[in-house]
Amino acid sequence: LTMWLRENANSNSELVIRLQQNLSRARQQELTGRQQEVIALYFDEGMTMAQIARYLGVTSSTVSRTLQRAKRRLYKALKYCL
């Protein structure tokens, strides 16, 4: 197993790089403007749902739903990239 992991380490890093590139593209092409904003605030800026809700002037429930829908869209867009 250790030998296999060493031999395939490069292919894993290539896969990660390809997935990151596709994720960036999918965020721009597949998500609505609001979804892009919420995803950026949550994952890139590290804000909590409550902080995002206050910042955007919406409820935490709205932020949660928006995140769920955005993640679902991204999953559908990326699941065939692997």
Side-chain angles (χ1 to χ4, degrees):
L1 179 62
T2 305
M3 198 160 128
W4 182 87
L5 288 172
R6 281 188 204 139
E7 290 173 359
N8 291 297
N10 288 338
S11 63
N12 285 341
S13 62
E14 291 170 7
L15 177 66
V16 169
I17 290 169
R18 191 173 65 226
L19 192 56
Q20 287 173 336
Q21 291 169 343
N22 289 336
L23 176 60
S24 178
R25 194 174 312 120
R27 281 174 70 166
Q28 294 172 355
Q29 295 176 355
E30 300 294 328
L31 300 181
T32 67
R34 178 53 64 106
Q35 288 172 338
Q36 289 177 22
E37 184 176 23
V38 170
I39 287 282
L41 292 171
Y42 189 75
F43 289 106
D44 301 340
E45 301 298 324
M47 293 174 72
T48 66
M49 287 188 211
Q51 291 170 328
I52 296 169
R54 280 193 301 277
Y55 179 76
L56 297 176
V58 297
T59 65
S60 292
S61 176
T62 299
V63 172
S64 176
R65 272 194 317 275
T66 303
L67 274 172
Q68 278 184 316
R69 290 177 181 157
K71 288 192 284 187
R72 197 174 312 126
R73 276 184 164 194
L74 290 173
Y75 174 76
K76 286 180 182 179
L78 296 173
K79 71 179 175 182
Y80 297 108
C81 294
L82 303 173

